[in-house]
Amino acid sequence: MSRKAVLLSARMATMSEGDTPYGLCQDAAIAVDGAKIVWVGEHQDLPPEYTDWPVEDFGERLITPALIDAHTHVVFGGNRAAEFEMRLNGASYEDIARAGGGILSTVNATRSASAKTLLADALTRVDALIAEGVSTLEVKSGYGLDSVTELKMLRVARRIGETRPIRVKTSFLGAHAVPPDYAECPDDYIRDVCIPTLRVAYVEGLVDAVDGFCEGIAFNPAQIALVFDVAQELGLPVKLHAEQLSNLGGAQLAASYGALSADHIEYLDAGGVSAMAKAGTTAVLLPGAFYTLRETQVPPVDLLRQHHVPMALATDCNPGSSPLTSLLLTMNMGCTLFRLTPEEALAGTTRNAARALGIKDAGSIAPGQRADLAIWNVTHPAELAYRVGFNPLHKRLFGGIE
């Protein structure tokens, strides 16, 4: 595509907030100048200054913002298919973790893998997401639990954005699990390993946000607060795995730090929802983990709606609880398992996903936004969440370029 172009389509879902479902616009036109959108509206209203620009007509297809996956662990070593089988034979997520499996088994595999191997393996997963119209990806560390490996993972995450046409936002997740050598003294791990590694990652420019796992099998709120205090000192935003398996008040803690997001939140209560609403914290729902772990406690979607808490959807791509590399399937799961509407599902992978990552220039189609767009072989945006195992992507534009 030339540097300046007008994109035409029968319909466009801008996903801008307003009274029109999906921000739907018929007989749509988008003027793109370089990597930016400069005008959006109906074709008949196209201003004269754009009428001589080259035109690309997508016919009856639908244009939406490119998708955003706001919670992933795509950089990891090995796999945990054996644990999948264990769970089907009756072992719980907690049973596996306490027996030395779960996150810790991936830690061992990730520590032993080279950066080259980690990148090559991660790219297979990233390519699957790109093929479904994903333009922005969050990538967490957390499978190192030592300074060397945590930094290795973050460097690999940065390399993904240099190797593929995709924007990567990194999250430092040193407080993901307690390594075996600190099993009796998790506070020492936070003080001696996690926080010093965060400081090094910050100095090297490897971290965009700070995350943690607040759960009985991981870290308690006081320990997470120690990490968040340092994040706040460094000027880094925070997010948190909260209320996935129990309610420890993690979401309220995250909200007290003005967190970008609280993720999972199946056991979130009314107090946590209220705190998130006041703080402007986005709820990131992860149906892939809910499905894989065969959970029954669904997130409090109605409460989130009542308090106007934005809801994002993400794959949670990881080797244990959500080996999922399809954001389209995630949208369907969000609807079928959590009873989101198709419009909420698309907002959850565009506008609200951008909000969960603190991104201002993507997630909707509007002047000033990046020209990160997805063109679909569908006639209505509800089809994106409706289909199962089907990818209707026609073309993805990243900064205006195919």
Side-chain angles (χ1 to χ4, degrees):
M1 180 185 298
S2 61
R3 185 174 181 274
K4 295 183 177 182
V6 173
L7 314 181
L8 304 178
S9 189
R11 58 197 61 81
M12 165 181 61
T14 66
M15 300 313 296
S16 298
E17 294 186 88
D19 296 331
T20 304
Y22 300 98
L24 207 59
C25 176
Q26 306 294 337
D27 189 24
I30 306 171
V32 175
D33 188 348
K36 294 290 184 181
I37 296 169
V38 294
W39 187 88
V40 175
E42 293 187 6
H43 187 196
Q44 65 181 11
D45 298 326
L46 185 69
E49 59 262 38
Y50 306 124
T51 55
D52 291 335
W53 287 16
V55 171
E56 186 162 358
D57 192 341
F58 294 111
E60 295 299 309
R61 296 182 177 93
L62 171 74
I63 300 179
T64 72
L67 304 184
I68 297 171
D69 196 348
H71 181 129
T72 85
H73 306 253
V74 296
V75 176
F76 59 82
N79 71 75
R80 280 154 50 193
E83 294 174 19
F84 174 68
E85 188 170 33
M86 287 173 63
R87 282 197 302 273
L88 293 175
N89 283 315
S92 70
Y93 187 61
E94 292 95 330
D95 292 338
I96 293 169
R98 295 191 190 283
I103 291 170
L104 295 180
S105 66
T106 298
V107 168
N108 291 330
T110 305
R111 286 178 174 179
S112 64
S114 68
K116 181 178 180 181
T117 296
L118 289 175
L119 177 62
D121 289 347
L123 289 177
T124 64
R125 297 180 275 272
V126 172
D127 287 343
L129 292 166
I130 290 174
E132 288 192 347
V134 172
S135 67
T136 302
L137 180 71
E138 188 256 14
V139 181
K140 303 179 190 295
S141 68
Y143 291 133
L145 308 185
D146 63 21
S147 185
V148 170
T149 314
E150 289 292 307
L151 295 172
K152 177 174 66 173
M153 291 184 68
L154 291 169
R155 294 184 188 113
V156 169
R158 286 285 192 236
R159 284 287 295 140
I160 291 171
E162 298 165 359
T163 307
R164 292 291 189 270
I166 192 166
R167 176 156 54 167
V168 172
K169 302 292 280 186
T170 57
S171 294
F172 174 78
L173 184 55
H176 195 195
V178 182
D181 43 336
Y182 285 90
E184 302 303 318
C185 48
D187 287 357
D188 290 348
Y189 168 75
I190 293 293
R191 184 188 65 245
D192 298 340
V193 179
C194 182
I195 288 174
T197 305
L198 169 58
R199 292 188 182 280
V200 173
Y202 171 77
V203 169
E204 291 192 22
L206 296 175
V207 56
D208 299 316
V210 176
D211 200 346
F213 189 15
C214 187
E215 194 54 74
I217 60 173
F219 296 96
N220 63 39
Q223 291 159 344
I224 295 294
L226 295 173
V227 181
F228 282 6
D229 285 344
V230 175
Q232 197 169 63
E233 172 197 328
L234 298 174
L236 293 169
V238 301
K239 49 181 54 229
L240 187 64
H241 292 60
E243 275 74 86
Q244 180 185 7
L245 306 171
S246 63
N247 188 339
L248 297 184
Q252 291 196 49
L253 172 71
S256 73
Y257 284 85
L260 291 173
S261 70
D263 303 27
H264 288 290
I265 63 169
E266 281 88 339
Y267 286 84
L268 182 67
D269 60 17
V273 173
S274 178
M276 290 174 63
K278 291 175 183 175
T281 298
T282 298
V284 180
L285 309 183
L286 304 170
F290 178 90
Y291 169 85
T292 301
L293 298 177
R294 303 169 69 192
E295 295 290 344
T296 57
Q297 177 82 20
V298 298
V301 169
D302 284 340
L303 264 179
L304 294 168
R305 288 173 179 145
Q306 291 168 24
H307 287 262
H308 305 290
V309 174
M311 292 180 286
L313 279 171
T315 62
D316 190 19
C317 175
N318 74 73
S321 62
S322 188
L324 173 63
T325 52
S326 171
L327 200 51
L328 290 173
L329 179 55
T330 301
M331 291 167 63
N332 178 270
M333 286 180 168
C335 294
T336 56
L337 299 177
F338 295 163
R339 293 296 185 261
L340 297 183
T341 67
E343 183 179 4
E344 287 173 329
L346 187 54
T349 53
T350 55
R351 181 180 70 238
N352 290 340
R355 190 192 306 259
L357 296 180
I359 293 172
K360 308 290 188 183
D361 64 348
S364 63
I365 302 175
Q369 296 287 85
R370 276 181 55 88
D372 291 347
L373 303 168
I375 298 92
W376 308 93
N377 291 312
V378 303
T379 58
H380 192 279
E383 292 182 56
L384 299 178
Y386 153 73
R387 296 183 183 273
V388 180
F390 177 74
N391 181 3
L393 185 71
H394 170 70
K395 184 178 291 188
R396 187 202 73 148
L397 301 183
F398 181 67
I401 299 173
E402 184 177 353

